[in-house]
């Protein structure tokens, strides 16, 4: 397990009563280089073959995905909350640990790695993966910083899935 785990904050009852929020903000703030380095090293080198894009889910997924894309000299694609992207978009609705929402993305093609900060129920990353396929991309891998494993048994088809920290 990564030593970065000790910097994750535990915030009880946020944003709702009964939710233990795991906040990776200190990891991003003070250990960003190590975080990106460790995430990059986690992905098997074969997985990067022919990958053209790293997609990040709004909003903390953006920072992580963009840094990984830069490190690998790949393009960055934003997966956004509904109503934020202009032009023709695909949409997938999903349930959250607390509430529901919809993600949107522009159409395209090529191999893509999908990134988010925290995997809780898995609803967000599942919706994002469905969206990537609906919009024309092929998913090489799915990656998150922190997996709240007690809340999910996440997998998506046979796509390689990586998480740096597990609770
Ligand atoms: P989910 O769709 O349930 O996997 O939720 C994932 C998203 O919700 C992530 O992008 C997180 O930002 C946020 N989230 C949900 N639950 C938590 C939690 N307990 N701690 C931190 N972030 C959470």
């Amino acid at each position: 397990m990564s030593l970065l785990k000790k910097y994750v904050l535990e915030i009880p009852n946020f944003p709702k009563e009964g939710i233990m929020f795991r906040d990776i903000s200190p990891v991003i703030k003070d250990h960003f280089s190590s975080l990106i380095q460790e995430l990059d090293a986690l992905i098997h080198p074969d997985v990067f073959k022919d990958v053209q894009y790293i997609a990040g889910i709004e909003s903390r997924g953006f920072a992580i995905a963009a840094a990984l894309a830069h490190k690998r000299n790949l393009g960055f694609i934003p997966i956004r909350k509904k109503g934020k992207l202009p032009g023709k978009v695909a949409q997938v609705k999903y349930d959250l640990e607390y509430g529901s929402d919809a993600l949107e993305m522009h159409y395209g093609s090529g191999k893509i790695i999908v990134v988010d900060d925290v995997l809780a129920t898995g609803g967000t990353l599942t919706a994002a993966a469905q969206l990537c396929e609906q919009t024309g991309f092929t998913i090489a891998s799915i990656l998150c910083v922190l997996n709240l494993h007690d809340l999910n048994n996440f997998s998506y088809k046979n796509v390689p899935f990586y998480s740096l920290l597990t609770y």
Side-chain angles (χ1 to χ4, degrees):
M1 182 64 69
S2 166
L3 294 175
L4 294 174
K5 193 171 187 178
K6 62 175 177 286
Y7 303 112
V8 175
L9 299 177
E10 294 185 359
I11 300 164
N13 303 315
F14 180 86
K16 280 189 178 167
E17 196 69 28
I19 302 286
M20 173 61 83
F21 194 83
R22 311 272 178 183
D23 186 11
I24 64 161
S25 300
V27 183
I28 292 176
K29 178 169 165 272
D30 294 320
H31 306 278
F32 194 56
S33 273
S34 304
L35 173 66
I36 298 306
Q37 187 63 47
E38 289 192 29
L39 286 170
D40 184 71
L42 202 60
I43 299 171
H44 193 279
D46 291 351
V47 168
F48 278 109
K49 193 174 178 300
D50 300 327
V51 168
Q52 287 170 270
Y53 306 107
I54 312 278
I57 304 172
E58 187 174 353
S59 57
R60 270 167 299 198
F62 282 3
I64 299 154
L68 274 172
H70 180 68
K71 184 170 173 51
R72 288 272 168 176
N73 204 20
L74 301 169
F76 165 72
I77 294 179
I79 298 176
R80 300 210 64 177
K81 304 281 167 61
K82 64 172 180 284
K84 301 282 181 78
L85 287 174
K88 194 166 184 277
V89 294
Q91 185 189 86
V92 171
K93 292 192 174 71
Y94 64 105
D95 292 323
L96 286 166
E97 190 183 0
Y98 36 83
S100 71
D101 216 334
L103 292 175
E104 292 181 345
M105 188 178 176
H106 285 135
Y107 290 84
S109 62
K111 265 179 106 175
I112 199 166
I113 294 176
V114 188
V115 178
D116 203 5
D117 60 339
V118 175
L119 178 72
T121 64
T124 307
L125 265 171
T126 301
Q130 289 167 346
L131 200 48
C132 286
E133 292 184 330
Q134 274 185 31
T135 47
F137 295 94
T138 303
I139 306 167
S141 168
I142 296 172
L143 171 71
C144 70
V145 176
L146 202 157
N147 181 10
L148 302 177
H149 190 249
D150 288 349
L151 297 177
N152 71 77
N153 190 16
F154 182 80
S155 68
Y156 186 79
K157 299 182 178 174
N158 284 326
V159 175
F161 166 63
Y162 301 96
S163 60
L164 187 64
L165 309 171
T166 304
Y167 283 85

